Amino acid sequence: LGAAVVILASLGQWQLRRGDERRAILAAIEAGRKQAPLPLTPATDPGAMTAWRSAQATGVWLPQFSVLLDNRNHDGKPGYWLATPLLLDADARRAVLVLRGWLPRVMRSQGQGPAQPPLPATPADEQTVKGELSPRVPRLFELWSLGAADQSALPASLPVEGGVLPQVQNLPLDAYAKATGLTLLPTVLSQSEGGADDGLVRDWPQPSVDFQQNTSYAVQWFAF
């Protein structure tokens, strides 16, 4: 009986900690979205690039460095996020990585696996892009079979021959900067406006912040 009490109490404490984590996430989201929109330039203070803050960048797309982030589902449909850098300063090769939106997966015929999906046209002239900031590309948990090669690793150098976009699970900014030779701002812009006619879906997932649910579960565990 004593062991059961300890286990149940531990589960209740765990739910309270999860609730505190979700409260902190909610507070960060609200604080970021209350800030004035941030203009992103090569001179922007990195300390001002806080998560969830609205931001705006003006530059030229570099579609040759685009990457598809695999296994990003939307409404239960498999697909990709399209990531493309926006060049802010050509001389310094200073850019910001933009998550442009979601597009569905396309399968090859005869069960040969996914093909590269049709990509939206990328305007060649200067564009202004608005969205929200994140300190990194949201990660997807990776689980590889023992002894299997990682087929979604970022190539050492971009662009790749043939114009085929790499399909990766995750995209660390430091590895991406090394592959492209760009100097990236220490932030990622999830696009909400600009290029609205490109057919991409910009319904970005939000973290769960229902801390009341954790409190309810904790009460149940303590009651048991």
Side-chain angles (χ1 to χ4, degrees):
L1 179 61
V5 170
V6 170
I7 292 172
L8 293 172
S10 297
L11 289 170
Q13 292 291 344
W14 172 68
Q15 286 293 342
L16 290 178
R17 289 193 296 272
R18 288 289 294 128
D20 289 340
E21 291 171 2
R22 286 179 168 178
R23 283 191 185 90
I25 293 171
L26 178 59
I29 292 173
E30 292 177 341
R33 289 176 174 171
K34 285 179 181 176
Q35 293 179 287
L38 180 69
L40 291 178
T41 72
T44 301
D45 178 10
M49 301 176 191
T50 53
W52 307 105
R53 185 172 185 175
S54 295
Q56 174 177 305
T58 299
V60 177
W61 291 116
L62 298 176
Q64 68 272 28
F65 296 133
S66 289
V67 172
L68 292 169
L69 292 157
D70 199 2
N71 290 322
R72 265 54 178 195
N73 294 349
H74 178 73
D75 286 343
K77 299 177 182 178
Y80 307 92
W81 290 349
L82 176 61
T84 305
L86 188 72
L87 186 65
L88 308 176
D89 183 334
D91 293 335
R93 291 182 61 78
R94 192 74 164 160
V96 60
L97 182 62
V98 180
L99 297 180
R100 295 174 59 188
W102 179 89
L103 66 166
R105 178 177 292 180
V106 176
M107 300 300 293
R108 293 190 181 95
S109 60
Q110 300 178 346
Q112 295 179 355
Q116 177 164 299
L119 300 174
T122 303
D125 56 342
E126 192 172 73
Q127 300 291 306
T128 295
V129 179
K130 298 180 181 179
E132 279 190 344
L133 297 179
S134 173
R136 65 188 67 84
V137 176
R139 288 185 57 81
L140 185 74
F141 179 71
E142 293 173 305
L143 181 62
W144 309 110
S145 300
L146 291 176
D150 181 355
Q151 299 298 319
S152 72
L154 185 71
S157 178
L158 292 175
V160 296
E161 283 189 45
V164 177
L165 299 192
Q167 298 183 16
V168 302
Q169 298 284 340
N170 293 302
L171 189 61
L173 286 180
D174 55 351
Y176 182 70
K178 184 176 180 180
T180 59
L182 297 171
T183 302
L184 296 173
L185 298 186
T187 192
V188 175
L189 184 64
S190 296
Q191 184 177 353
S192 60
E193 298 180 38
D197 296 330
D198 56 17
L200 295 170
V201 177
R202 297 190 176 91
D203 181 18
W204 300 108
Q206 303 291 308
S208 174
V209 293
D210 185 9
F211 60 85
Q212 293 96 339
Q213 184 182 62
N214 296 101
T215 302
S216 176
Y217 288 157
V219 170
Q220 292 179 38
W221 286 120
F222 290 140
F224 291 152

